[in-house]
């Protein structure tokens, strides 16, 4: 009963304590009331005599029908007498008790199907105190009146079971699966099951048996859509249908085949009373709006019902529905289902309707449906549009080679269409996902455009051409010329990180009147790339302004094949993180996950990576580790934004930092074997991989590599990125970077840079009071990892000045930060073999003896000093080496 412990304990306690003689357990179908009743029986059977009764639809009209086993000795006349039946049941109970004083428990399952007479007998038992009763039933239609009256009179408690919430689903999965279950897997299973335990159980079995739910490197991943045709789920659906009346079965099949379908249409066919009954049973749901429409309560159940209907019967139901409909469905989703249903029945659907339906399917990440519909389009004019939709479906499913091949055949044919920018960008993204550099893709695209006669022959190279590594048309220098050249130029400038040229081009594009659809795309892409370039350059405020402007362009770009939303979101979140706005970054990611649940299989890896990176930047290394490992596995399956290499470097870093050598080695290989992505991500990936190598090797080579990389123009000219490199070195214990932080942090915008500057300034001043005040402020403003460093530095200074009481206070506050960060290990728990580490001769002597196993007193006697002197030297050594105890000394000392 994982996920249901609280109601189980509550009900058992009520029965044991006799605070109430009866408990009514109410829940919808499949929510788990029967399983909970079974668990109650199992738990209480050692201490009570348990008798079970099952309500039945076939006996619901037979007076005392379910009590027949206990009234077998009655005459025909007495068998319909309430008094005679009650006496017969009491006699049966007395026989069960056999003279013992053991209490009786009557467990009634499907109590909503009890006939009124039987319900009256059960109510009399409760009122007389003959037995405790647990009655499990559905809230709709509810319990029979005699039982309901007991609850109204306060003689019975009621427990309503709700669908499992996300936390309960997570608990169930953790109990059922051996390994880590990432948030993306939990969310997908929760959304698909609707929190219904019966469906959850069926889904888990079917997904595991079909290999859709599989364990990869200790992490349970969904390798595809959850199956709706699996044997367990099909069995659940078929049993539910068979228990229903024929007219209910037909209504449910109609709703499933046509959903969303107008309520009035189904009422005209099946009757208003039947529709109300299905709504009461919550097997179908009604959406608000005018006109009201019906759906199956669960999407996977609807799909399973559709697949259970034969083609001939489906065609009959389609004809019956069409006879009642005055017009085609009004919503795009309704027209999508109508087109798919017609095709399933072997009917012809006009190409225009197929194309519209395919577009609706791809917008909802219905990749299989989108491909099925798009491949049926035959009209030569519409076929290129259909192929673009096919390509996006393939791209969503990580079939990048096939997507690129399809786009290569259709992108030039769509060069003058309203979706031309979408198709061009998707083609570039598909080729980029195959490992091709952006510069090469852009050059090839430009040449193909010229060969097709869509662009003029090349003119003199632009002066910036050398910077980006390609020759570009002079007409594109300031956002002018054919839109294709402008778009390609923006991508080149984005790769180069040239925010000055990007700013000029974006300003020119925005100053024009937006008369064409491509202008929306140019503005969104240009502003997003401009935002990214500004953020890494340390101009975070301007970068976020640009990202917000880019987001304002998204509504006009919603109905297309390129993922503008995710393209902009990633850069906006990175901008927030560069500024230290952790809460704002999480808010954007949470809003995206809420609004784009259907896109989770495609983009969940990128969202998890950004969350893990945020936690890493905050110093919450263990939580980052828990987020980054599943993110890497998700990106291994689907990486539309080309973040796998960056993610594997971050995973390598946190694994090495926490001492998980096996995972660190595996992630290091992932990083080394992966294809480089965008230059800014590649530079950060290299820095974190070098830091990870330093944590793993402790030989100073990784630290030296970061220092070397930081002096290159690609990093030193990007002040925001440069400051992050220095922060990585500081985390490694290299305090030689603090003067550089002092010189650089004031030039970088944002709260994080300001916090770094304050910490560096007070660190250098060696003012313990100022450091304590700084630490308090940093902790209050969300920079707990920096506060921790300030407390540690203050404790050292206070100890050196003889203020041991205040030093211990600083240590306690430092440990409080450790606890808040959720770390088992000290951050930066060793110092690399770098010149910044210097132990005095006395410290070296004491450490050597400590490593030999001598106690503080033995060391004091050997060196003829006081025990307090030994303790002081050891403590200062711990601070220098970034360790907490003797156990960590050997691993922390330079080799």
């Amino acid at each position: 009963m994982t996920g249901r412990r609280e109601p189980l304990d509550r009900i058992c306690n009520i029965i044991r304590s006799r605070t109430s003689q009866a408990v009514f357990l109410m829940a919808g179908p499949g929510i788990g009331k029967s399983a909970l009743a079974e668990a109650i029986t199992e738990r209480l059977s050692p201490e009570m005599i348990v008798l079970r009764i099952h309500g039945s639809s076939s006996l619901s009209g037979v007076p005392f029908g379910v009590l027949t086993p206990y009234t077998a000795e009655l005459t025909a006349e007495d068998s319909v007498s309430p008094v005679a039946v009650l006496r017969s049941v009491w006699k049966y109970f007395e026989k069960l008790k056999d003279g013992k004083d053991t209490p009786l428990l009557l467990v009634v399952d499907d109590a909503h199907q009890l006939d009124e007479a039987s319900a009256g007998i059960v109510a009399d038992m409760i009122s007389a105190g003959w037995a405790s009763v647990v009655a499990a039933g559905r809230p709709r239609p509810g319990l029979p009146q005699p039982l309901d009256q007991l609850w109204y009179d306060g003689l019975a408690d009621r427990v309503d079971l709700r669908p499992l919430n996300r936390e309960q689903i997570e608990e169930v999965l953790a109990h059922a699966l051996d390994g880590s279950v990432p948030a993306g897997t939990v969310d997908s299973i929760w959304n698909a099951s609707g929190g219904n335990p019966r469906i959850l159980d069926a889904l888990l079995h079917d997904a595991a048996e079909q290999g859709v739910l599989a364990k990869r490197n200790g992490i349970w991943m969904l390798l595809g859509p959850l199956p709706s045709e699996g044997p367990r789920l099909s069995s659940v659906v078929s049993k539910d249908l068979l228990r229903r009346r024929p007219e209910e079965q037909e209504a449910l099949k109609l709703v499933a085949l046509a959903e969303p379908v107008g309520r009035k249409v189904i009422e005209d066919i099946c009757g208003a009373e039947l529709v109300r009954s299905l709504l009461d049973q919550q097997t179908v749901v009604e959406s608000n709006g005018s006109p009201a429409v019906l759906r199956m309560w669960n999407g996977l159940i609807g799909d399973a019902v559709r697949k259970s209907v034969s083609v001939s019967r489906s065609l009959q139901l389609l004809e019956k529905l069409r006879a009642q409909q005055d017009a085609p469905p009004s919503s795009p989703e309704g027209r999508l289902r109508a087109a798919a249903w017609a095709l399933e029945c072997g009917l012809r659907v006009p190409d225009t309707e197929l194309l519209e339906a395919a577009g609706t399917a791809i917008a909802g990440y219905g990749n299989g449906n989108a491909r099925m519909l798009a491949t049926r389009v035959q009209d030569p004019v519409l076929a290129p549009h259909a192929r673009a939709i096919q390509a996006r479906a393939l791209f969503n499913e990580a079939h990048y080679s096939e997507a690129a091949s399809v786009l290569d055949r259709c992108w030039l044919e769509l060069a003058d269409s309203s979706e031309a920018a979408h198709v061009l960008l998707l083609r570039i993204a598909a080729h980029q996902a195959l490992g091709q550099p952006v510069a090469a893709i852009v050059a090839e695209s430009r040449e193909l455009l010229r060969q097709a006669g869509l662009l003029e022959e090349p003119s003199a190279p632009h002066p910036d051409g050398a910077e980006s590594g390609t020759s570009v048309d002079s007409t594109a220098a300031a956002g002018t010329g054919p839109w294709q050249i402008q778009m390609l130029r923006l991508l080149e400038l984005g790769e180069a990180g040239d925010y000055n040229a990007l700013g000029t081009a974006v300003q020119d594009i925005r100053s024009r009147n937006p008369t064409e659809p491509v202008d929306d795309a140019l503005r969104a892409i240009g502003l997003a790339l401009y935002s990214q370039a500004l953020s890494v350059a340390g101009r975070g405020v301007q970068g976020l302004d640009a990202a917000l402007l880019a987001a304002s362009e998204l509504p006009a770009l919603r109905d297309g094949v390129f993922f503008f939303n995710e393209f902009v979101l990633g850069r906006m979140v990175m901008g927030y993180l560069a500024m230290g706005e952790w809460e704002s970054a999480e808010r954007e990611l949470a809003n995206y996950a809420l609004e784009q649940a259907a896109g989770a299989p495609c983009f969940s890896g990128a969202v998890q990576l950004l969350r893990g990176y945020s936690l890493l930047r905050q110093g919450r290394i263990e939580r980052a580790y828990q987020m980054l490992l599943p993110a890497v596995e998700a990106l291994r399956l689907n990486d539309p934004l080309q973040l796998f290499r960056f993610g594997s470097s971050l995973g390598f870093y946190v694994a090495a930092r926490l001492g998980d050598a096996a995972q660190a080695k595996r992630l290091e290989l992932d990083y080394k074997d992966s294809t480089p992505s965008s230059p800014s991500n590649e530079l950060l990936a290299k820095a974190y991989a070098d830091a990870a190598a330093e944590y793993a090797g402790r030989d100073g080579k990784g630290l030296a590599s970061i220092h070397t990389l930081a002096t290159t123009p690609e990093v030193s000219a990007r002040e925001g990125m440069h400051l992050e490199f220095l922060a990585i070195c500081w985390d490694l214990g290299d305090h030689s970077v603090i003067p550089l932080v002092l010189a650089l942090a004031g030039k970088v915008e944002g709260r994080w840079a300001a916090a770094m500057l304050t910490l560096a300034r007070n660190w250098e001043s060696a003012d313990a009071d100022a450091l304590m005040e700084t630490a308090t402020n940093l902790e209050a403003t969300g920079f707990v990892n920096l506060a921790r460093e300030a407390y540690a530095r203050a404790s050292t200074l206070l100890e050196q000045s003889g203020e041991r009481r205040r030093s211990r206070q600083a240590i306690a506050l430092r440990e409080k930060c450790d606890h808040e960060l959720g770390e088992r290990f000290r951050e930066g728990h060793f110092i690399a073999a770098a010149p910044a580490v210097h132990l005095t001769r006395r410290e070296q002597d004491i450490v050597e003896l400590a490593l030999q196993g001598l106690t503080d007193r033995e060391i004091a006697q050997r060196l003829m000093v006081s025990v307090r002197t030994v303790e002081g030297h050891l403590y200062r050594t711990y601070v220098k080496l970034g360790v907490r105890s003797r156990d960590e000394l050997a691993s922390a000392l330079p080799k």
Side-chain angles (χ1 to χ4, degrees):
M1 281 305 299
T2 303
R4 293 297 194 201
R5 297 190 188 282
E6 191 274 332
L8 173 61
D9 293 341
R10 179 184 169 193
I11 293 170
C12 289
N13 289 337
I14 291 172
I15 297 300
R16 285 187 180 118
S17 65
R18 302 291 183 91
T19 55
S20 182
Q21 197 69 23
V23 178
F24 298 157
L25 176 60
M26 309 303 290
I31 298 300
K33 61 183 181 300
S34 296
L36 185 53
E38 185 70 40
I40 293 167
T41 301
E42 183 178 345
R43 180 175 290 190
L44 295 179
S45 57
E47 50 196 283
M48 303 182 78
I49 296 172
V50 181
L51 187 66
R52 302 200 65 172
I53 296 175
H54 290 269
S56 165
S57 58
S58 61
L59 294 175
S60 61
V62 180
F64 308 115
V66 297
L67 299 178
T68 301
Y70 319 115
T71 60
E73 297 178 359
L74 295 179
T75 64
E77 183 179 354
D78 285 344
S79 67
V80 294
S81 166
V83 174
V85 170
L86 188 59
R87 286 173 178 169
S88 180
V89 172
W90 172 248
K91 184 178 178 181
Y92 185 87
F93 283 178
E94 287 298 304
K95 188 184 295 184
L96 281 178
K97 294 178 71 171
D98 194 24
K100 299 175 184 176
D101 194 25
T102 308
L104 285 167
L105 174 63
L106 179 64
V107 178
V108 186
D109 203 1
D110 287 337
H112 58 283
Q113 293 182 337
L114 287 181
D115 61 276
E116 289 282 331
S118 295
I121 295 295
V122 174
D124 289 341
M125 292 182 205
I126 295 170
S127 300
W130 288 3
S132 296
V133 173
V134 172
R138 296 183 183 180
R140 296 179 180 178
L143 297 178
Q145 192 277 333
L147 295 178
D148 248 356
Q149 189 63 47
L150 290 177
W151 179 58
Y152 290 133
D153 294 341
L155 299 178
D157 278 353
R158 173 170 168 153
V159 175
D160 286 276
L161 283 188
R162 307 295 181 192
L164 298 175
N165 59 32
R166 189 193 181 284
E167 291 70 25
Q168 290 170 322
I169 292 284
E170 191 169 19
E171 180 188 350
V172 171
L173 294 179
H175 179 78
L177 303 176
D178 176 26
S180 299
V181 186
T185 302
V186 175
D187 288 338
S188 294
I189 292 174
W190 178 43
N191 290 327
S193 69
N196 185 295
R198 184 169 58 180
I199 294 176
L200 172 65
D201 180 69
L203 276 180
L204 289 180
H205 280 90
D206 288 344
E209 288 175 6
Q210 295 185 23
V212 173
L213 180 64
K215 196 174 181 181
R216 296 290 181 90
N217 294 313
I219 296 168
W220 286 94
M221 305 297 299
L222 287 174
L223 308 185
L226 285 162
S228 60
E229 72 283 1
R232 291 290 187 103
L233 189 60
S234 298
S235 175
V236 167
V237 170
S238 61
K239 286 178 181 178
D240 181 70
L241 286 174
L242 287 173
R243 283 198 294 264
R244 297 181 177 279
R245 293 173 291 149
E247 56 269 28
E248 284 187 334
Q249 294 183 31
E250 177 161 299
L252 286 173
K253 289 175 181 177
L254 263 174
V255 173
L257 287 163
E259 63 178 342
V261 58
R263 175 173 176 169
K264 185 178 184 306
V265 175
I266 302 299
E267 286 180 338
D268 289 344
I269 297 172
C270 303
E273 184 178 345
L274 180 59
V275 169
R276 282 195 298 272
S277 173
L278 293 176
L279 287 169
D280 283 344
Q281 296 171 43
Q282 298 176 313
T283 52
V284 300
V285 294
E286 182 179 14
S287 62
N288 296 326
S290 180
V293 296
L294 302 177
R295 300 173 185 270
M296 296 294 290
W297 75 271
N298 177 279
L300 273 179
I301 291 293
D303 199 25
V305 170
R306 286 193 289 273
K307 289 174 179 174
S308 71
V309 183
S310 67
V311 174
S312 59
R313 181 61 181 143
S314 182
L315 181 57
Q316 290 173 348
L317 292 172
L318 176 58
E319 291 172 347
K320 183 179 287 190
L321 187 78
R322 285 181 171 180
Q324 291 293 332
Q325 283 182 325
D326 297 328
S330 58
S331 69
E333 190 180 358
R335 293 193 292 275
L336 161 61
R337 183 64 213 133
W341 188 5
L343 289 178
E344 291 162 8
C345 293
L347 303 180
R348 185 184 178 283
V349 179
D351 283 355
T352 52
E353 294 179 19
L354 287 173
L355 187 63
E356 183 204 9
T360 301
I362 203 62
Y365 291 90
N367 303 314
N369 245 355
R371 282 189 283 105
M372 182 271 291
L373 291 160
T375 53
R376 303 294 185 99
V377 176
Q378 301 297 318
D379 187 326
V381 176
L382 301 179
H385 301 265
R387 284 196 287 272
I389 292 172
Q390 286 177 255
R392 177 58 197 270
L394 290 165
F395 187 90
N396 286 347
E397 296 170 331
H399 301 310
Y400 301 124
S401 179
E402 295 94 324
S405 178
V406 172
L407 288 163
D408 286 345
R409 299 198 305 272
C410 71
W411 75 286
L412 289 172
E413 297 176 89
L414 296 169
D416 293 327
S417 71
S418 60
E419 56 198 292
H422 288 263
V423 179
L424 171 61
L425 289 167
L426 185 63
R427 177 178 180 270
I428 291 171
H431 281 280
Q432 197 176 354
L434 296 173
Q436 298 177 32
V438 169
I441 305 168
V442 166
E444 179 218 23
S445 300
R446 184 181 290 111
E447 183 57 33
L448 289 172
L449 286 165
R450 288 196 181 104
Q451 291 177 10
L454 297 170
L455 298 180
E456 297 177 0
E457 288 302 309
S459 54
H462 184 264
D464 291 339
E467 178 186 313
S468 63
T470 59
S471 295
V472 295
D473 293 336
S474 59
T475 56
T480 59
W483 73 263
Q484 294 96 336
I485 286 296
Q486 295 176 56
M487 184 70 77
L488 297 175
R489 176 62 174 159
L490 288 172
L491 295 172
E492 286 178 327
L493 294 174
E495 282 290 287
D498 188 345
Y499 66 86
N500 286 319
L502 271 170
T504 301
V506 168
Q507 183 59 38
D508 286 346
I509 291 168
R510 295 187 67 220
S511 65
R512 300 200 304 265
N513 290 326
T515 58
E516 299 292 336
V518 293
D519 287 311
D520 299 320
L522 285 168
R523 285 192 299 273
I525 292 294
L527 285 163
L529 293 172
Y530 186 39
S531 167
Q532 180 181 22
L534 287 167
S535 293
V536 298
R539 290 158 174 77
V541 175
Q542 300 172 62
L544 279 176
D545 286 343
L548 291 170
L549 284 171
S552 71
E553 303 289 344
L554 295 177
L557 298 165
R558 188 167 295 155
D559 299 324
V561 295
F562 185 67
F563 43 93
F564 284 96
N565 194 23
E566 291 75 16
F567 189 92
V568 172
L569 173 74
R571 285 153 180 82
M572 180 184 292
V573 169
M574 291 292 275
Y576 277 126
L577 297 182
M579 293 184 67
E581 302 286 350
W582 322 124
E583 295 83 1
S584 297
E586 176 54 34
R587 183 188 66 244
E588 293 295 337
L589 292 172
N591 288 341
Y592 172 81
L594 186 65
E595 296 168 2
Q596 301 290 334
C602 187
F603 291 100
S604 66
V607 171
Q608 291 229 121
L609 170 61
L610 290 171
R611 283 191 164 130
Y613 181 44
S614 173
L615 291 166
L616 188 159
R617 292 290 301 271
Q618 296 173 58
R620 303 180 189 277
I621 303 301
E622 286 195 352
R623 288 185 59 200
Y625 190 42
Q626 294 165 3
M627 191 67 70
L628 286 168
L629 259 65
V632 170
E633 294 309 314
L635 291 170
R636 195 189 306 278
L637 297 172
N638 206 322
D639 187 19
L641 299 175
Q642 293 85 57
L643 292 172
F644 178 76
R645 184 173 171 88
F646 183 46
S648 58
S649 73
L650 297 182
F652 176 27
Y653 174 81
V654 294
R657 185 162 171 170
L658 294 174
D660 190 341
Q663 289 282 22
K665 186 65 178 175
R666 180 179 66 80
L667 290 160
E668 181 184 17
L669 292 174
D670 282 338
Y671 165 72
K672 290 180 176 178
D673 293 343
S674 56
T675 303
S677 57
S678 67
S680 58
N681 282 349
E682 180 60 23
L683 290 167
L684 277 177
K686 179 70 167 63
Y688 279 107
D690 285 340
E694 187 63 62
Y695 277 116
R698 308 184 181 187
D699 55 9
K701 293 179 181 178
L703 185 61
S705 179
I706 299 172
H707 277 288
T708 301
L709 189 60
T711 62
T712 62
E714 292 85 358
V715 176
S716 59
R718 294 167 166 156
E719 292 166 339
M721 183 185 294
H722 192 186
L723 185 60
E724 187 170 351
F725 275 43
L726 298 180
I728 294 170
C729 293
W730 195 338
D731 275 344
L732 282 165
D734 179 9
H735 297 156
S736 69
V737 302
I738 294 176
L740 295 172
V741 172
L742 274 171
L744 182 62
K747 302 175 184 177
V748 176
E749 297 174 351
R751 295 170 61 245
W752 176 71
M756 290 288 291
L757 178 61
T758 303
L759 178 60
R761 186 181 291 133
N762 287 292
W763 191 292
E764 288 288 278
S765 70
D767 184 336
D769 291 331
L771 276 164
M772 289 295 287
E773 183 180 355
T774 295
T776 301
N777 292 334
L778 289 171
E779 190 177 0
T781 53
F783 298 99
V784 181
N785 58 328
L786 301 185
R788 188 241 172 264
E789 296 301 323
Y791 284 130
R793 172 70 166 162
S795 69
T796 302
L797 294 171
L798 290 167
E799 177 73 21
Q800 291 171 350
S801 64
E803 297 188 64
R804 300 197 68 184
R805 183 187 63 80
R806 291 188 65 204
S807 175
R808 287 195 295 272
Q809 181 185 18
I811 292 171
L813 291 169
R814 181 203 69 193
E815 291 176 346
K816 174 175 171 285
C817 290
D818 285 337
H819 179 73
E820 185 175 343
L821 291 169
E823 304 262 0
R824 289 175 300 175
F825 304 99
R826 152 73 164 102
E827 285 195 24
H829 62 280
F830 79 97
I831 303 300
V837 180
H838 175 69
L839 300 182
T840 65
R841 182 67 214 169
R842 177 64 77 188
E843 287 168 347
Q844 292 176 28
D845 292 338
I846 290 173
V847 167
E848 287 176 6
L849 294 172
L851 290 174
Q852 293 173 24
L854 275 67
T855 65
D856 290 355
R857 185 170 295 281
E858 290 170 339
I859 295 171
Q861 292 171 351
R862 180 78 63 89
L863 297 178
M864 293 181 292
V865 296
S866 69
V867 174
R868 178 170 292 184
T869 299
V870 173
E871 291 173 347
H873 280 302
L874 274 176
Y875 178 74
R876 284 188 288 275
T877 302
Y878 293 165
V879 172
K880 287 183 179 181
L881 295 176
V883 300
R884 290 182 175 181
S885 66
R886 292 181 180 221
D887 296 336
E888 298 177 359
L889 274 176
S891 61
L893 285 171
K895 299 292 190 289

